[in-house]
Amino acid sequence: MSSPEERPARRARRKFGIRIAAVLFVVVSVVMGCRLADVDGITPVPQLLAFLPWLVAPTAVGLALVLLARWWPGVVWSVVLLGLLAWFIEPYGKSGDPGGPVVASVRVLTSNVEFGQATDALVDAVRREKPDLVFVQECEYTCDAELKRALGGTFPHRQAVEGGGSAGSVILSRFPLRAAAPIPGTMGMPGAVADVRGRAVRLQLAHPMPPLPGQVDVWRRELGALRDFAAEQAGGTTLLAGDFNASQDHAAFRRILDTGLRDAARLAGDDRAPSWPARTAPTLGAQIDHVLLSSDFSVETARFLDLPDTDHRALLVRITLHARR
């Protein structure tokens, strides 16, 4: 039993713990409210949604504080939040494999080389992993020239949007390509149609703006343009890959999946493997680099590669194109 002198201090500690827990619960509740409402909200909600699984940590800290303070409404609050987090951590999107005969096995690599800084590392990875299609984001003029020099013989077909800084992007292909209209955006998003053993496959590179404070509307609009593209391609053979600056916890990205495209990493069982920021991945981060496929592809493997000099991990997937029944 505490003495009369100790009781005020205990009450003060209890109130302080309750206040800290309540602040944590309010922040998590706002994010979870947006997730429940299927919206991305305003800053800082889109940024926090990218790290939704890690909101378990502040919620658990809050639970410990309210248990110590014996604040039972707070215990109920935290348990509800933990239940919602567990529910939404589950993979989102369609699964299942097509049943038609195999047309071709294809290896696809997507990499954001951060203003071209990781170009040499990408060239080494391409030579080692031998992909058939390569989607490169933030490939500025020097990067573009080096890819032509180092990989032009291996990848005779290419489609690019040239630009400096983060604006340049390139699709490299072993398969014959014909040009397709790029998707307009702040950064380059080239498109092409590949001839894969006589099958036309619509390729599209994705690189919308990130949800920076003050630019969330641009991010949402450019993800919406990718969603419109995916909807227009419904029923066709489509491969949409790149740095989406969005995870499955963002409503704008789920709209793309709702058109029928499927996430290769999710089909391979790696839907929560972080791809950014590379400095803290795979311990902490968000999966914002994706390869999305129409339903006539199956996925054999998906693997994230650590490249030096870029804040993104590259994603290498091995997929199979099936004939339609």
Side-chain angles (χ1 to χ4, degrees):
M1 182 180 294
S2 58
S3 65
E5 293 80 9
E6 293 173 330
R7 288 170 190 164
R10 286 190 61 189
R11 283 196 295 269
R13 288 195 298 270
R14 180 176 181 272
K15 289 180 181 179
F16 180 75
I18 289 173
R19 289 194 190 100
I20 295 297
V23 170
L24 294 173
F25 294 161
V26 166
V27 172
V28 176
S29 294
V30 169
V31 177
M32 296 310 298
C34 288
R35 182 64 180 83
L36 277 167
D38 203 25
V39 298
D40 291 318
I42 60 174
T43 298
V45 174
Q47 294 83 358
L48 290 173
L49 278 168
F51 297 93
L52 184 141
W54 281 269
L55 295 180
V56 169
T59 308
V61 169
L63 174 58
L65 290 172
V66 296
L67 283 171
L68 288 172
R70 298 184 181 182
W71 185 42
W72 307 122
V75 172
V76 173
W77 191 356
S78 63
V79 169
V80 170
L81 289 176
L82 288 170
L84 288 172
L85 284 164
W87 177 266
F88 287 125
I89 286 171
E90 287 296 305
Y92 184 89
K94 297 179 180 179
S95 60
D97 289 330
V102 171
V103 174
S105 180
V106 182
R107 293 167 69 88
V108 181
L109 177 67
T110 179
S111 178
N112 181 321
V113 292
E114 193 176 8
F115 310 116
Q117 295 175 144
T119 303
D120 291 341
L122 175 63
V123 169
D124 290 342
V126 168
R127 288 172 172 164
R128 182 177 64 251
E129 303 293 346
K130 297 178 171 56
D132 302 293
L133 296 167
V134 184
F135 294 75
V136 191
Q137 305 90 56
E138 298 195 17
C139 185
E140 40 70 73
Y141 298 113
T142 304
C143 164
D144 192 27
E146 178 60 18
L147 293 183
K148 288 178 182 177
R149 185 198 68 78
L151 300 176
T154 307
F155 295 90
H157 311 285
R158 70 193 329 266
Q159 194 68 27
V161 173
E162 295 182 351
S166 64
S169 289
V170 183
I171 300 173
L172 305 177
S173 174
R174 296 180 189 267
F175 305 110
L177 294 181
R178 68 175 188 268
I183 293 178
T186 309
M187 297 178 287
M189 293 192 277
V193 179
D195 182 347
V196 181
R197 295 190 181 177
R199 182 80 165 272
V201 179
R202 180 65 164 90
L203 308 179
Q204 180 60 53
L205 185 145
H207 195 203
M209 279 291 287
L212 301 172
Q215 299 193 50
V216 170
D217 287 343
V218 178
W219 167 77
R220 189 180 287 113
R221 182 171 64 250
E222 294 185 359
L223 281 169
L226 290 169
R227 185 267 169 204
D228 292 344
F229 160 80
E232 290 168 1
Q233 299 299 317
T237 302
T238 308
L239 198 161
L240 173 59
D243 170 12
F244 286 75
N245 280 308
S247 74
Q248 71 172 41
D249 298 308
H250 290 111
F253 181 73
R254 294 194 299 276
R255 301 287 183 272
I256 300 173
L257 296 178
D258 290 343
T259 66
L261 294 182
R262 303 178 305 158
D263 194 312
R266 180 254 195 273
L267 295 178
D270 288 321
D271 56 289
R272 286 292 180 183
S275 65
W276 173 90
R279 191 170 290 105
T280 59
T283 304
L284 173 67
Q287 188 177 119
I288 63 174
D289 299 88
H290 307 273
V291 174
L292 305 186
L293 309 164
S294 54
S295 60
D296 39 5
F297 286 100
S298 61
V299 178
E300 298 174 49
T301 60
R303 185 158 50 96
F304 288 92
L305 311 178
D306 294 308
L307 304 184
D309 303 318
T310 174
D311 57 346
H312 287 253
R313 302 169 83 198
L315 173 58
L316 175 69
V317 302
R318 188 168 68 178
I319 59 179
T320 301
L321 175 61
H322 295 260
R324 295 187 172 180
R325 291 179 172 178

